[in-house]
Amino acid sequence: MKPLIALAEKIDWVTDQFATIAKWAVLLSCVISAGNAAVRYLADRSSNGLLEIQWYLFGACVMLGAAQVMRVNEHVRVDVIYGRFNGRTQALIDLVGLVLFLVPTMVVMIYFSWPLFLKMYQSGEMSSNAGGLIRWPAMLMLPLGFALVLIQGISESIKRVAWLTH
């Protein structure tokens, strides 16, 4: 079990690194948004590129931060029934949910989002807006974010099994 716990710790470390990127992405998105609004109202100028980079950064925040939200157990959960169970039953419910629902769903999401990213990357697809940005960096956030949630789900499964078997 020790090698699996070590793997879970490495996955948690990777998740933490991407969470740091997500934190900076949301801050940068807010700064760009405020700056763009100020320039628009003060100088009557705007940039589609700046609007799009805000969207890209916010998407990065969501997709790169989702695994961290799961890691620190702050994701949305309906606790009406779950909260009434003891820790062992909760860990079993988590484990079943992770193995039967989260992991397969993330595999499917990666399967469908990866070809979309590759298509945009290979074609160099650009936004149709004047001054718009290349689209593949935003599309990369989908398979990357789903992969991060997948590996974090594996980490959480390892931790639940370890807790249940100690």
Side-chain angles (χ1 to χ4, degrees):
M1 196 75 207
K2 284 185 181 183
L4 289 176
I5 294 295
L7 173 62
E9 289 172 353
K10 287 177 182 165
I11 291 170
D12 290 352
W13 180 85
V14 168
T15 297
D16 285 341
Q17 303 315 300
F18 279 98
T20 299
I21 295 169
K23 290 174 195 175
W24 284 106
V26 76
L27 177 64
L28 189 55
S29 178
C30 291
V31 168
I32 291 170
S33 177
N36 197 31
V39 168
R40 188 170 55 248
Y41 289 111
L42 296 174
D44 198 29
R45 300 198 67 169
S46 187
S47 163
N48 287 332
L50 288 176
L51 289 172
E52 288 182 12
I53 196 69
Q54 290 170 219
W55 303 335
Y56 287 17
L57 289 167
F58 186 71
C61 173
V62 170
M63 295 308 294
L64 301 181
Q68 178 74 353
V69 171
M70 183 170 51
R71 189 183 84 69
V72 298
N73 204 24
E74 292 294 329
H75 54 287
V76 175
R77 168 184 282 151
V78 179
D79 284 340
V80 175
I81 298 170
Y82 180 87
R84 296 180 184 185
F85 293 121
N86 64 28
R88 181 170 182 77
T89 303
Q90 288 178 346
L92 282 168
I93 291 169
D94 288 346
L95 186 58
V96 168
L98 290 163
V99 172
L100 294 182
F101 298 105
L102 184 121
V103 169
T105 300
M106 291 303 104
V107 168
V108 168
M109 298 305 284
I110 293 165
Y111 176 81
F112 284 112
S113 64
W114 183 253
L116 294 173
F117 157 70
L118 283 179
K119 180 182 172 192
M120 284 187 181
Y121 179 76
Q122 291 167 344
S123 71
E125 183 176 329
M126 298 287 294
S127 168
S128 60
N129 296 320
L133 303 176
I134 194 161
R135 289 202 167 152
W136 70 260
M139 186 54 74
L140 175 60
M141 293 301 109
L142 292 175
L144 181 57
F146 295 138
L148 289 169
V149 172
L150 172 64
I151 66 169
Q152 190 60 47
I154 292 167
S155 172
E156 296 304 313
S157 297
I158 291 168
K159 290 184 265 188
R160 297 312 187 281
V161 169
W163 188 83
L164 288 166
T165 59
H166 81 277

